[in-house]
Amino acid sequence: LFWIHLNMDYPFNLKGILYFPKINTKYDTIEGTIKLYNNQVFIADNIKEVIPEYLLLLKGCIDCPDLPLNVSRSALQNDGFVKKISNYITKKVAEKLSGMCKTDPENYEKYWDDIIKFGCIRDQKFNDKMKDYIIFKNMEGKYVTLPDYLEAGKEKYENNVFYITDEVAQSQYINMFKEQEIDAIYLTHQIDTTFITHLEQRNPEVKFLRIDSELTDNFKETIDENEEKELTEKLSEKFKKATGVENLSVKVEKLKDDKVASMAVLSEENRRMQEMMKMYGMDANMFGGANGATLVLNANHPLVKYVAAHKEDDKNVPLICQQLYDLAMMAHKQLSPDEMTQFIARS
């Protein structure tokens, strides 16, 4: 992808060349590709102490006469020169990447996910140099910085950043966002869960929200409080009975998009808690019905109106309730084989 020449005389003597190969996701095969020399005498080729961990997918060689010929891992870890070399390489890589962001943005975008996010999380100095060059792909397929995104949407979503993790599963929400001309960014990389936390720690006023985490006022019409309460009670009872989910949380809204009948929303805090529990092998089902998600029903949709207007002995009522529940859940979690069989038969 690109290369960096290293040439330094003070405070230590160092020459080298580092190559950034095209990204190889098999990280287990990339170790030991930078060779370390002392006056052209080979010393080692597995030098995490010299090259920061997130740059281990680099290839190349470094010649540094100031390093001892006989190196052991513990000697390298405690060597002052080694720390300076590591900081120097970090600085050079950050300078190269930030320069590339300005002059060759297309190439910069290609390996942004693989190198830079990991570097920002792992190395404070690297993060400080790259913080103005953190970019996100938006719904138009363009790359924007965090300040650009927040500035563009300050009237509609002040200090909130909406993100997409699965374009297919969240397509219903994406369409709603497009209709209301609200932008969201794609965060589909494995490292993004950690990266979001990292960004929130450094930008405490900014909140990252998954696109299906909550419905802001941009998507809703005002609804009379008494009407909302009455509808919620009536529909909640019918949906609990039809689905068999006793602790189901139901919320009735008048959505601007009358094509959407039902959707499941899960608060960002709940989702992150569940992800953390899964990571540590704990049971996330303790959050209750539908894993803590709230079933949002659109009072403007004809099927929801039908359920509200007809009694439970109408054979269509339980059928519609089950179908709307499954449709909402499909975007939220994978249906079990049994649920999927019933859904297909019912459809």
Side-chain angles (χ1 to χ4, degrees):
L1 291 167
F2 64 92
W3 58 89
I4 296 169
H5 285 139
L6 307 170
N7 193 354
M8 196 170 192
D9 297 322
Y10 181 83
F12 50 84
N13 197 328
L14 178 138
K15 283 185 172 61
I17 183 164
L18 300 176
Y19 294 93
F20 273 69
K22 287 214 182 307
I23 303 308
N24 176 4
T25 51
K26 294 176 184 163
Y27 287 105
D28 55 337
T29 63
I30 59 165
E31 211 173 279
T33 51
I34 296 179
K35 300 192 176 292
L36 186 63
Y37 293 83
N38 178 325
N39 276 330
Q40 299 181 26
V41 176
F42 175 66
I43 300 174
D45 65 355
N46 189 7
I47 42 170
K48 286 183 182 172
E49 286 72 26
V50 178
I51 306 292
E53 188 185 356
Y54 59 92
L55 296 177
L56 274 181
L57 42 80
L58 297 182
K59 296 178 185 294
C61 58
I62 291 168
D63 195 321
C64 182
D66 292 321
L67 279 174
L69 274 168
N70 184 13
V71 292
S72 67
R73 185 46 56 83
S74 57
L76 278 173
Q77 281 172 341
N78 298 316
D79 194 304
F81 274 124
V82 169
K83 193 71 197 144
K84 284 177 185 169
I85 292 170
S86 181
N87 288 342
Y88 171 65
I89 291 168
T90 301
K91 178 169 165 272
K92 291 293 281 185
V93 170
E95 282 172 5
K96 179 81 176 182
L97 287 167
S98 56
M100 191 172 288
C101 183
K102 297 172 193 166
T103 58
D104 189 6
E106 281 182 21
N107 257 330
Y108 178 79
E109 288 158 11
K110 282 180 196 169
Y111 40 84
W112 150 247
D113 273 337
D114 298 77
I115 301 167
I116 303 161
K117 285 183 184 176
F118 191 45
C120 287
I121 292 166
R122 298 305 293 259
D123 190 311
Q124 182 60 48
K125 286 184 179 174
F126 184 79
N127 178 76
D128 292 344
K129 288 189 167 62
M130 294 306 299
K131 64 184 180 191
D132 295 333
Y133 305 99
I134 290 172
I135 53 172
F136 304 96
K137 187 179 178 182
N138 70 1
M139 290 203 296
E140 291 175 26
K142 294 176 184 167
Y143 279 87
V144 294
T145 64
L146 188 59
D148 289 344
Y149 174 87
L150 292 170
E151 179 60 32
K154 65 181 178 187
E155 308 220 337
K156 291 187 175 179
Y157 50 85
E158 191 180 6
N159 284 338
N160 284 337
V161 179
F162 295 102
Y163 64 94
I164 300 158
T165 56
D166 187 327
E167 195 169 6
V168 177
Q170 292 156 10
S171 58
Q172 183 183 30
Y173 304 90
I174 293 169
N175 290 335
M176 284 175 65
F177 269 63
K178 283 179 178 172
E179 276 195 18
Q180 296 305 319
E181 295 180 345
I182 297 175
D183 202 3
I185 58 172
Y186 286 92
L187 291 175
T188 55
H189 204 271
Q190 203 174 350
I191 202 172
D192 282 327
T193 308
T194 316
F195 192 58
I196 287 169
T197 309
H198 166 85
L199 287 171
E200 284 180 338
Q201 284 169 351
R202 278 154 183 76
N203 305 279
E205 74 288 353
V206 176
K207 182 76 180 148
F208 280 76
L209 299 164
R210 206 168 86 170
I211 201 167
D212 56 352
S213 64
E214 59 184 66
L215 287 171
T216 65
D217 291 338
N218 298 300
F219 302 105
K220 300 184 282 195
E221 294 173 5
T222 50
I223 182 170
D224 179 71
E225 211 173 295
N226 292 328
E227 183 190 0
E228 184 190 355
K229 192 181 174 191
E230 190 186 325
L231 274 172
T232 300
E233 281 175 14
K234 192 188 287 184
L235 291 168
S236 187
E237 200 176 314
K238 288 178 180 177
F239 271 82
K240 280 179 184 177
K241 199 168 275 186
T243 60
V245 182
E246 266 310 305
N247 50 359
L248 179 65
S249 173
V250 175
K251 190 167 175 50
V252 177
E253 301 279 12
K254 282 191 172 178
L255 302 181
K256 290 177 182 175
D257 187 349
D258 60 4
K259 295 185 292 295
V260 176
S262 61
M263 55 205 308
V265 296
L266 178 65
S267 74
E268 190 70 18
E269 290 76 13
N270 255 2
R271 176 178 296 104
R272 293 196 200 182
M273 182 67 77
Q274 286 186 25
E275 283 171 0
M276 198 168 73
M277 288 172 77
K278 278 180 197 163
M279 203 163 65
Y280 290 108
M282 294 161 77
D283 182 18
N285 289 324
M286 63 185 284
F287 282 86
N291 278 11
T294 298
L295 177 68
V296 176
L297 298 170
N298 183 8
N300 285 334
H301 194 277
L303 285 178
V304 176
K305 287 177 181 173
Y306 185 98
V307 173
H310 291 74
K311 293 187 175 167
E312 283 161 37
D313 55 7
D314 181 318
K315 65 178 173 38
N316 291 324
V317 168
L319 199 71
I320 292 169
C321 287
Q322 287 173 324
Q323 191 75 352
L324 293 186
Y325 175 77
D326 281 353
L327 280 168
M329 287 304 135
M330 282 172 100
H332 172 66
K333 66 180 181 73
Q334 199 168 1
L335 295 185
S336 71
D338 189 40
E339 287 167 341
M340 184 55 87
T341 305
Q342 288 178 29
F343 174 77
I344 290 165
R346 199 186 312 122
S347 297

